[in-house]
Amino acid sequence: FFSFAMVDVSNPALSQAWETLKADGDPTNWVLFGYDESGKAMEVAGTGTGGRTEFVEQLQADKVLYGAFRCTAVDEDSRRAKFVWTTWVGESVSPIKRGRVSTHKPLIQNRFAGVHIDLHATTTEDLQEDLVTKKIIDSSGAHRPSMIEY
């Protein structure tokens, strides 16, 4: 019997990749986590310095991936890092793998604190810059940025 409720997120490389993404001054601006070959544990699927564009280029139709990219909210007084969490379920992912996302996502996402918005995407169109920008601005409350830099 295989339980879909559990996924192992204890790999230290996961935390290391997340901390690198969050570190001010580090050029890393995206990270992706995926399932290892067993399907029971998470591993780092990639990191990079090419921002939202490079992050989106890593997404594959037959994969479930979790991750985030960094962008910068700019207003007249400040520049603030924003972290956009994305749950990617590609269009070709099997129904069984799709089903485990609802139970695995909270276990995975709770491991990585400090995200500003949470997106669910099944196509790269779901992560178009204008859509992401609108969601970040709409979630910003009193400190509404005048622009988002990717």
Coordinates of all heavy atoms in Angstrom, one line a residue, residues 27-112:
P27 N 23.0 36.0 -6.6 CA 22.3 36.1 -7.9 C 21.3 35.1 -8.2 O 20.5 35.3 -9.2 CB 23.5 36.0 -8.9 CG 24.5 35.1 -8.1 CD 24.4 35.6 -6.7
T28 N 21.2 34.0 -7.4 CA 20.1 33.0 -7.7 C 18.8 33.7 -7.5 O 18.5 34.3 -6.4 CB 20.3 31.8 -6.7 OG1 21.6 31.2 -6.9 CG2 19.2 30.8 -6.9
N29 N 17.9 33.5 -8.5 CA 16.6 34.1 -8.4 C 15.4 33.2 -8.7 O 14.3 33.6 -8.9 CB 16.5 35.4 -9.2 CG 16.9 35.3 -10.6 OD1 16.8 34.2 -11.2 ND2 17.2 36.4 -11.3
W30 N 15.7 31.9 -8.8 CA 14.6 30.9 -8.9 C 15.1 29.6 -8.4 O 16.3 29.3 -8.5 CB 14.0 30.8 -10.3 CG 14.9 30.3 -11.4 CD1 15.7 31.1 -12.2 CD2 15.2 29.0 -11.7 NE1 16.4 30.3 -13.1 CE2 16.1 29.0 -12.8 CE3 14.7 27.7 -11.3 CZ2 16.6 27.8 -13.4 CZ3 15.2 26.6 -11.9 CH2 16.1 26.6 -12.9
V31 N 14.2 28.8 -8.0 CA 14.5 27.4 -7.5 C 13.2 26.5 -7.9 O 12.1 27.0 -7.8 CB 14.8 27.3 -6.0 CG1 13.7 27.8 -5.2 CG2 15.3 26.0 -5.6
L32 N 13.5 25.3 -8.3 CA 12.4 24.3 -8.5 C 12.7 23.1 -7.7 O 13.9 22.6 -7.7 CB 12.3 24.0 -10.0 CG 11.5 25.0 -10.8 CD1 11.7 24.7 -12.3 CD2 10.0 25.0 -10.4
F33 N 11.7 22.5 -7.2 CA 11.8 21.2 -6.5 C 10.9 20.2 -7.2 O 9.8 20.5 -7.7 CB 11.3 21.3 -5.1 CG 12.0 22.4 -4.3 CD1 11.3 23.6 -3.9 CD2 13.3 22.3 -4.0 CE1 11.9 24.6 -3.2 CE2 14.0 23.4 -3.3 CZ 13.3 24.5 -2.9
G34 N 11.4 19.0 -7.4 CA 10.6 17.9 -8.0 C 10.7 16.6 -7.3 O 11.5 16.5 -6.3
Y35 N 10.0 15.6 -7.7 CA 10.1 14.3 -7.1 C 11.3 13.6 -7.5 O 11.7 13.6 -8.7 CB 8.8 13.5 -7.4 CG 7.6 14.1 -6.8 CD1 6.8 15.0 -7.6 CD2 7.2 13.8 -5.5 CE1 5.6 15.6 -7.0 CE2 6.0 14.4 -5.0 CZ 5.3 15.3 -5.7 OH 4.1 15.8 -5.2
D36 N 11.9 12.8 -6.6 CA 13.0 11.9 -7.0 C 12.4 10.7 -7.8 O 11.2 10.6 -8.0 CB 13.8 11.5 -5.8 CG 13.1 10.6 -4.8 OD1 11.9 10.2 -5.1 OD2 13.7 10.3 -3.8
E37 N 13.2 9.8 -8.2 CA 12.8 8.7 -9.0 C 11.8 7.8 -8.2 O 10.9 7.2 -8.9 CB 14.0 7.8 -9.4 CG 14.8 8.5 -10.5 CD 15.8 7.6 -11.2 OE1 15.5 6.3 -11.2 OE2 16.8 8.1 -11.7
S38 N 11.8 7.8 -6.9 CA 10.9 6.9 -6.2 C 9.5 7.6 -6.1 O 8.5 6.9 -5.8 CB 11.4 6.7 -4.7 OG 11.2 7.9 -3.9
G39 N 9.4 8.9 -6.3 CA 8.2 9.6 -6.2 C 7.7 9.9 -4.8 O 6.7 10.4 -4.6
K40 N 8.6 9.6 -3.8 CA 8.3 9.7 -2.4 C 9.0 10.8 -1.7 O 8.8 11.1 -0.5 CB 8.5 8.4 -1.7 CG 7.6 7.3 -2.2 CD 7.9 6.0 -1.5 CE 7.1 4.8 -2.1 NZ 7.4 3.6 -1.5
A41 N 10.0 11.4 -2.4 CA 10.8 12.4 -1.8 C 11.1 13.6 -2.8 O 11.1 13.3 -4.0 CB 12.2 11.8 -1.3
M42 N 11.3 14.7 -2.2 CA 11.6 15.9 -3.0 C 13.1 16.1 -3.2 O 13.8 15.7 -2.3 CB 11.0 17.2 -2.4 CG 9.5 17.2 -2.3 SD 8.6 16.8 -3.8 CE 9.0 18.2 -4.8
E43 N 13.5 16.6 -4.4 CA 14.9 16.9 -4.6 C 14.9 18.3 -5.3 O 13.9 18.7 -5.9 CB 15.5 15.8 -5.5 CG 14.9 15.7 -6.8 CD 15.5 14.5 -7.6 OE1 16.4 13.8 -7.1 OE2 15.1 14.3 -8.8
V44 N 16.0 18.9 -5.4 CA 16.2 20.1 -6.1 C 16.2 19.8 -7.6 O 17.1 19.0 -8.1 CB 17.5 20.9 -5.7 CG1 17.7 22.2 -6.6 CG2 17.5 21.2 -4.2
A45 N 15.3 20.3 -8.3 CA 15.2 20.1 -9.8 C 15.9 21.1 -10.6 O 16.2 20.9 -11.8 CB 13.7 20.0 -10.2
G46 N 16.2 22.3 -10.0 CA 17.0 23.3 -10.6 C 17.0 24.6 -9.9 O 16.1 24.9 -9.1
T47 N 18.1 25.4 -10.2 CA 18.2 26.8 -9.7 C 18.8 27.6 -10.8 O 19.4 27.0 -11.7 CB 19.1 26.9 -8.4 OG1 20.4 26.5 -8.7 CG2 18.6 26.0 -7.3
G48 N 18.6 28.9 -10.7 CA 19.2 29.7 -11.7 C 19.2 31.2 -11.4 O 18.7 31.6 -10.4
T49 N 19.7 31.9 -12.4 CA 19.9 33.4 -12.2 C 19.1 34.1 -13.3 O 19.2 35.3 -13.4 CB 21.4 33.8 -12.3 OG1 21.9 33.3 -13.5 CG2 22.1 33.2 -11.1
G50 N 18.4 33.4 -14.1 CA 17.7 34.0 -15.3 C 16.2 34.5 -15.0 O 15.5 34.8 -15.9
G51 N 15.8 34.6 -13.7 CA 14.6 35.1 -13.4 C 13.3 34.3 -13.8 O 13.4 33.1 -14.1
R52 N 12.2 35.0 -13.8 CA 10.9 34.4 -14.2 C 11.0 33.7 -15.6 O 10.5 32.6 -15.7 CB 9.8 35.4 -14.2 CG 8.4 34.9 -14.5 CD 7.4 35.9 -14.9 NE 7.8 36.6 -16.1 CZ 7.6 36.1 -17.3 NH1 7.0 35.0 -17.5 NH2 8.0 36.7 -18.4
T53 N 11.7 34.3 -16.5 CA 11.7 33.7 -17.9 C 12.4 32.4 -17.8 O 11.9 31.4 -18.4 CB 12.5 34.7 -18.8 OG1 11.7 35.9 -18.9 CG2 12.6 34.1 -20.2
E54 N 13.6 32.3 -17.2 CA 14.3 31.0 -17.1 C 13.6 30.0 -16.3 O 13.5 28.8 -16.6 CB 15.7 31.3 -16.5 CG 16.6 30.1 -16.6 CD 18.0 30.4 -16.0 OE1 18.1 30.7 -14.8 OE2 19.0 30.3 -16.8
F55 N 12.9 30.4 -15.2 CA 12.1 29.6 -14.4 C 11.0 28.9 -15.2 O 10.9 27.7 -15.2 CB 11.5 30.4 -13.3 CG 10.5 29.7 -12.4 CD1 11.0 29.1 -11.2 CD2 9.2 29.7 -12.6 CE1 10.1 28.4 -10.4 CE2 8.3 29.1 -11.8 CZ 8.7 28.4 -10.7
V56 N 10.3 29.7 -16.0 CA 9.2 29.2 -16.9 C 9.8 28.2 -17.9 O 9.1 27.2 -18.2 CB 8.4 30.3 -17.5 CG1 7.5 29.8 -18.5 CG2 7.7 31.1 -16.4
E57 N 11.0 28.5 -18.4 CA 11.6 27.6 -19.4 C 11.9 26.2 -18.9 O 12.0 25.2 -19.7 CB 12.9 28.2 -20.0 CG 12.6 29.4 -20.8 CD 13.9 30.2 -21.2 OE1 15.0 29.8 -20.6 OE2 13.9 31.1 -22.0
Q58 N 11.9 26.0 -17.6 CA 12.3 24.7 -17.0 C 11.0 23.8 -16.8 O 11.1 22.6 -16.6 CB 12.9 24.9 -15.6 CG 14.0 25.9 -15.5 CD 15.1 25.6 -16.5 OE1 15.6 24.5 -16.6 NE2 15.4 26.6 -17.3
L59 N 9.8 24.4 -17.0 CA 8.6 23.7 -16.7 C 8.3 22.8 -17.9 O 8.3 23.2 -19.0 CB 7.5 24.7 -16.5 CG 7.8 25.7 -15.3 CD1 6.7 26.7 -15.3 CD2 8.0 25.0 -14.0
Q60 N 7.9 21.5 -17.6 CA 7.7 20.5 -18.6 C 6.3 20.0 -18.4 O 5.8 19.8 -17.3 CB 8.7 19.4 -18.5 CG 10.1 19.8 -18.6 CD 11.1 18.7 -18.3 OE1 10.8 17.5 -18.5 NE2 12.2 19.1 -17.7
A61 N 5.6 19.7 -19.6 CA 4.2 19.2 -19.6 C 4.0 17.9 -18.8 O 2.9 17.7 -18.3 CB 3.7 19.1 -21.0
D62 N 5.0 17.1 -18.6 CA 4.8 15.8 -18.0 C 5.3 15.8 -16.5 O 5.5 14.7 -15.9 CB 5.5 14.7 -18.8 CG 7.0 14.9 -18.9 OD1 7.5 16.0 -18.6 OD2 7.7 13.9 -19.2
K63 N 5.5 17.0 -15.9 CA 6.1 17.0 -14.6 C 5.2 17.8 -13.6 O 4.4 18.6 -14.0 CB 7.4 17.8 -14.6 CG 8.5 17.2 -15.5 CD 9.2 16.1 -14.7 CE 10.4 15.7 -15.6 NZ 10.9 14.4 -15.2
V64 N 5.4 17.4 -12.3 CA 4.8 18.2 -11.2 C 6.0 18.8 -10.6 O 7.0 18.1 -10.2 CB 4.0 17.3 -10.2 CG1 3.7 18.1 -9.0 CG2 2.8 16.7 -10.9
L65 N 6.1 20.1 -10.4 CA 7.2 20.8 -9.8 C 6.6 21.9 -8.9 O 5.5 22.4 -9.1 CB 8.0 21.5 -10.9 CG 8.7 20.6 -11.9 CD1 9.2 21.3 -13.1 CD2 9.9 19.8 -11.2
Y66 N 7.4 22.2 -7.9 CA 7.1 23.2 -6.9 C 8.3 24.2 -6.8 O 9.4 23.7 -6.9 CB 6.8 22.6 -5.5 CG 5.8 21.5 -5.5 CD1 6.2 20.2 -5.7 CD2 4.5 21.8 -5.2 CE1 5.3 19.2 -5.7 CE2 3.6 20.7 -5.2 CZ 4.0 19.4 -5.4 OH 3.1 18.4 -5.4
G67 N 8.1 25.4 -6.7 CA 9.2 26.3 -6.6 C 8.8 27.8 -6.5 O 7.6 28.1 -6.4
A68 N 9.8 28.6 -6.7 CA 9.6 30.1 -6.6 C 10.6 30.8 -7.4 O 11.7 30.3 -7.6 CB 9.6 30.5 -5.1
F69 N 10.2 32.0 -7.7 CA 11.2 33.0 -8.3 C 11.1 34.3 -7.6 O 10.1 34.6 -7.0 CB 11.0 33.1 -9.8 CG 9.7 33.6 -10.3 CD1 9.4 34.9 -10.4 CD2 8.7 32.7 -10.6 CE1 8.2 35.4 -10.8 CE2 7.4 33.1 -11.0 CZ 7.2 34.4 -11.1
R70 N 12.2 35.0 -7.6 CA 12.3 36.3 -6.9 C 12.1 37.4 -8.0 O 12.6 37.3 -9.1 CB 13.7 36.4 -6.3 CG 14.0 37.8 -5.7 CD 15.5 38.0 -5.6 NE 16.1 37.3 -4.5 CZ 16.4 37.8 -3.3 NH1 16.2 39.0 -3.1 NH2 17.0 37.0 -2.4
C71 N 11.4 38.4 -7.5 CA 11.3 39.6 -8.3 C 11.4 40.8 -7.3 O 11.5 40.6 -6.1 CB 10.0 39.6 -9.2 SG 8.5 39.4 -8.3
T72 N 11.4 42.0 -7.9 CA 11.5 43.2 -7.0 C 10.4 44.1 -7.2 O 10.1 44.5 -8.4 CB 12.9 43.9 -7.3 OG1 13.9 43.0 -7.2 CG2 13.1 45.1 -6.4
A73 N 9.7 44.5 -6.1 CA 8.6 45.5 -6.2 C 9.3 46.8 -5.9 O 10.0 47.0 -5.0 CB 7.6 45.2 -5.1
V74 N 9.0 47.7 -6.8 CA 9.6 49.1 -6.8 C 8.5 50.1 -6.6 O 7.5 50.1 -7.3 CB 10.4 49.3 -8.1 CG1 11.0 50.7 -8.1 CG2 11.4 48.2 -8.4
D75 N 8.7 51.0 -5.7 CA 7.9 52.2 -5.6 C 8.8 53.4 -5.4 O 10.1 53.2 -5.4 CB 6.8 52.1 -4.5 CG 7.4 51.9 -3.1 OD1 8.5 52.4 -2.8 OD2 6.7 51.2 -2.3
E76 N 8.3 54.6 -5.2 CA 9.1 55.8 -5.1 C 10.1 55.8 -3.9 O 11.1 56.4 -3.9 CB 8.3 57.0 -5.1 CG 7.2 57.2 -4.1 CD 5.9 56.4 -4.4 OE1 5.7 56.0 -5.6 OE2 5.1 56.3 -3.5
D77 N 9.7 55.0 -2.9 CA 10.5 55.0 -1.6 C 11.4 53.8 -1.4 O 12.3 53.8 -0.6 CB 9.6 55.1 -0.4 CG 8.8 56.4 -0.4 OD1 9.3 57.4 -0.9 OD2 7.6 56.3 0.1
S78 N 11.1 52.7 -2.1 CA 11.8 51.5 -1.8 C 11.8 50.4 -2.9 O 11.1 50.6 -3.9 CB 11.2 50.8 -0.5 OG 9.9 50.4 -0.8
R79 N 12.6 49.4 -2.6 CA 12.7 48.2 -3.5 C 12.6 47.0 -2.6 O 13.4 46.9 -1.6 CB 14.0 48.2 -4.3 CG 14.2 49.4 -5.2 CD 15.6 49.4 -5.8 NE 16.0 48.2 -6.5 CZ 15.6 47.9 -7.7 NH1 14.9 48.7 -8.5 NH2 16.0 46.7 -8.3
R80 N 11.6 46.2 -2.8 CA 11.5 45.0 -1.9 C 11.4 43.7 -2.7 O 10.7 43.6 -3.7 CB 10.1 45.2 -1.1 CG 10.2 46.3 -0.1 CD 8.9 46.5 0.6 NE 7.7 46.6 -0.2 CZ 7.4 47.7 -0.9 NH1 8.1 48.8 -0.8 NH2 6.3 47.7 -1.6
A81 N 12.1 42.7 -2.2 CA 12.1 41.4 -2.8 C 10.7 40.8 -2.6 O 10.2 40.9 -1.5 CB 13.2 40.5 -2.3
K82 N 10.2 40.2 -3.7 CA 9.0 39.4 -3.6 C 9.3 38.0 -4.1 O 10.0 37.8 -5.1 CB 7.9 40.0 -4.5 CG 7.5 41.4 -4.0 CD 6.7 41.4 -2.8 CE 6.3 42.8 -2.4 NZ 5.5 42.9 -1.1
F83 N 8.7 37.0 -3.5 CA 8.9 35.6 -3.8 C 7.5 35.0 -4.3 O 6.6 35.0 -3.5 CB 9.5 34.8 -2.7 CG 10.8 35.4 -2.3 CD1 11.0 36.3 -1.3 CD2 12.0 35.0 -3.0 CE1 12.2 36.9 -1.0 CE2 13.2 35.5 -2.6 CZ 13.3 36.4 -1.7
V84 N 7.5 34.6 -5.5 CA 6.3 34.0 -6.1 C 6.4 32.5 -6.1 O 7.2 31.9 -6.9 CB 6.2 34.6 -7.6 CG1 4.9 34.0 -8.2 CG2 6.1 36.1 -7.6
W85 N 5.6 31.9 -5.3 CA 5.6 30.4 -5.2 C 4.7 29.9 -6.3 O 3.6 30.4 -6.6 CB 5.0 29.9 -3.9 CG 4.9 28.5 -3.7 CD1 3.9 27.7 -4.1 CD2 6.0 27.6 -3.3 NE1 4.2 26.3 -3.8 CE2 5.5 26.3 -3.4 CE3 7.3 27.8 -2.9 CZ2 6.3 25.2 -3.1 CZ3 8.1 26.7 -2.5 CH2 7.6 25.4 -2.6
T86 N 5.1 28.8 -7.0 CA 4.4 28.2 -8.1 C 4.3 26.7 -7.9 O 5.3 26.1 -7.6 CB 5.1 28.5 -9.4 OG1 5.2 29.9 -9.6 CG2 4.2 28.0 -10.6
T87 N 3.1 26.2 -8.0 CA 2.8 24.8 -8.1 C 2.5 24.5 -9.5 O 1.6 25.0 -10.1 CB 1.6 24.4 -7.2 OG1 1.9 24.7 -5.8 CG2 1.4 22.8 -7.3
W88 N 3.4 23.8 -10.2 CA 3.3 23.5 -11.6 C 2.8 22.0 -11.8 O 3.4 21.1 -11.3 CB 4.6 23.6 -12.3 CG 4.7 23.1 -13.7 CD1 5.2 21.9 -14.1 CD2 4.2 23.7 -14.9 NE1 5.0 21.7 -15.4 CE2 4.4 22.9 -15.9 CE3 3.6 25.0 -15.1 CZ2 4.0 23.2 -17.2 CZ3 3.2 25.3 -16.4 CH2 3.4 24.4 -17.4
V89 N 1.7 21.9 -12.5 CA 1.2 20.6 -12.8 C 1.0 20.6 -14.3 O 0.0 21.1 -14.8 CB -0.2 20.2 -12.1 CG1 -0.7 18.8 -12.4 CG2 0.0 20.4 -10.6
G90 N 1.9 20.0 -15.0 CA 1.9 20.1 -16.5 C 0.7 19.4 -17.1 O 0.1 18.5 -16.4
E91 N 0.3 19.8 -18.2 CA -0.9 19.3 -18.9 C -0.9 17.7 -19.1 O -1.9 17.1 -19.2 CB -1.2 20.0 -20.2 CG -1.5 21.4 -20.0 CD -1.8 22.1 -21.3 OE1 -0.9 22.2 -22.1 OE2 -2.9 22.6 -21.5
S92 N 0.3 17.1 -19.2 CA 0.4 15.7 -19.5 C 0.6 14.9 -18.3 O 0.8 13.6 -18.4 CB 1.6 15.5 -20.5 OG 1.4 16.2 -21.7
V93 N 0.5 15.4 -17.1 CA 0.7 14.7 -15.9 C -0.5 13.8 -15.7 O -1.7 14.1 -15.9 CB 0.8 15.7 -14.7 CG1 0.8 14.9 -13.3 CG2 2.1 16.5 -14.8
S94 N -0.2 12.5 -15.2 CA -1.3 11.5 -15.1 C -2.2 11.9 -13.9 O -1.9 12.7 -13.0 CB -0.7 10.2 -14.7 OG -0.1 10.2 -13.4
P95 N -3.5 11.4 -14.0 CA -4.4 11.7 -12.9 C -4.0 11.3 -11.5 O -4.2 12.0 -10.6 CB -5.7 10.9 -13.3 CG -5.6 10.8 -14.8 CD -4.1 10.7 -15.1
I96 N -3.3 10.2 -11.4 CA -2.7 9.8 -10.1 C -1.7 10.8 -9.5 O -1.8 11.2 -8.4 CB -2.1 8.4 -10.2 CG1 -3.2 7.4 -10.4 CG2 -1.3 8.1 -8.9 CD1 -2.7 5.9 -10.6
K97 N -0.8 11.3 -10.4 CA 0.1 12.3 -9.9 C -0.5 13.6 -9.7 O -0.1 14.3 -8.7 CB 1.2 12.4 -11.0 CG 2.2 11.2 -11.0 CD 3.3 11.4 -12.0 CE 4.2 10.2 -12.1 NZ 5.2 10.3 -13.1
R98 N -1.5 14.0 -10.4 CA -2.3 15.2 -10.2 C -3.0 15.1 -8.8 O -3.0 16.1 -8.1 CB -3.4 15.4 -11.2 CG -2.9 15.9 -12.5 CD -4.1 16.0 -13.5 NE -3.6 16.4 -14.8 CZ -3.3 17.6 -15.2 NH1 -3.6 18.6 -14.4 NH2 -2.8 17.9 -16.4
G99 N -3.5 13.9 -8.5 CA -4.2 13.8 -7.2 C -3.3 14.0 -6.0 O -3.8 14.5 -5.0
R100 N -2.1 13.6 -6.1 CA -1.3 13.7 -4.9 C -0.8 15.2 -4.6 O -0.4 15.5 -3.5 CB -0.1 12.8 -5.0 CG 1.0 13.2 -6.0 CD 2.1 12.1 -5.9 NE 3.1 12.5 -7.0 CZ 4.1 11.7 -7.3 NH1 4.3 10.6 -6.6 NH2 4.9 12.1 -8.2
V101 N -1.0 16.0 -5.6 CA -0.6 17.4 -5.4 C -1.3 18.1 -4.3 O -0.7 18.8 -3.5 CB -0.8 18.3 -6.7 CG1 -0.6 19.7 -6.5 CG2 0.2 17.8 -7.8
S102 N -2.6 17.8 -4.2 CA -3.4 18.5 -3.1 C -3.0 18.1 -1.7 O -3.1 18.9 -0.8 CB -4.9 18.2 -3.3 OG -5.1 16.8 -3.1
T103 N -2.4 16.9 -1.5 CA -1.9 16.5 -0.2 C -0.5 16.8 0.0 O 0.0 17.1 1.1 CB -2.2 15.0 0.1 OG1 -1.6 14.2 -1.0 CG2 -3.6 14.7 0.2
H104 N 0.3 16.8 -1.1 CA 1.8 17.1 -1.0 C 2.1 18.6 -0.9 O 3.0 19.0 -0.2 CB 2.5 16.5 -2.1 CG 2.6 15.0 -2.1 ND1 3.4 14.3 -3.0 CD2 2.1 14.1 -1.2 CE1 3.3 13.0 -2.6 NE2 2.6 12.9 -1.6
K105 N 1.3 19.4 -1.6 CA 1.6 20.8 -1.7 C 1.8 21.5 -0.3 O 2.8 22.2 -0.1 CB 0.6 21.6 -2.5 CG 0.8 23.0 -2.6 CD -0.3 23.8 -3.3 CE 0.0 25.3 -3.2 NZ -1.1 26.0 -3.7
P106 N 0.8 21.3 0.6 CA 1.0 21.9 1.9 C 2.2 21.5 2.7 O 2.9 22.2 3.3 CB -0.3 21.6 2.7 CG -1.2 20.9 1.8 CD -0.4 20.6 0.5
L107 N 2.5 20.2 2.6 CA 3.7 19.6 3.2 C 5.0 20.2 2.7 O 5.9 20.5 3.4 CB 3.8 18.1 3.1 CG 2.6 17.3 3.7 CD1 2.7 15.9 3.2 CD2 2.7 17.4 5.2
I108 N 5.0 20.4 1.4 CA 6.2 21.0 0.7 C 6.3 22.5 0.9 O 7.3 23.0 1.4 CB 6.1 20.7 -0.8 CG1 6.2 19.2 -1.0 CG2 7.2 21.4 -1.6 CD1 5.8 18.7 -2.4
Q109 N 5.2 23.2 0.7 CA 5.2 24.7 0.8 C 5.5 25.1 2.3 O 6.1 26.1 2.5 CB 3.9 25.2 0.3 CG 3.9 26.7 0.1 CD 2.7 27.3 -0.5 OE1 1.8 26.6 -0.8 NE2 2.7 28.6 -0.8
N110 N 5.0 24.4 3.2 CA 5.2 24.8 4.6 C 6.7 24.7 5.0 O 7.1 25.3 6.0 CB 4.4 23.9 5.6 CG 2.9 24.2 5.6 OD1 2.5 25.3 5.1 ND2 2.1 23.3 6.0
R111 N 7.5 24.0 4.3 CA 8.9 23.9 4.5 C 9.6 25.2 4.1 O 10.8 25.4 4.5 CB 9.4 22.7 3.7 CG 10.8 22.3 3.8 CD 11.0 21.3 5.0 NE 12.2 20.5 4.9 CZ 13.4 21.0 5.1 NH1 13.6 22.2 5.4 NH2 14.4 20.2 5.0
F112 N 9.0 26.0 3.2 CA 9.7 27.1 2.6 C 8.8 28.4 2.9 O 7.9 28.7 2.2 CB 9.8 26.9 1.1 CG 10.5 25.6 0.8 CD1 9.8 24.6 0.3 CD2 11.8 25.4 1.1 CE1 10.4 23.3 0.0 CE2 12.5 24.2 0.8 CZ 11.7 23.2 0.3

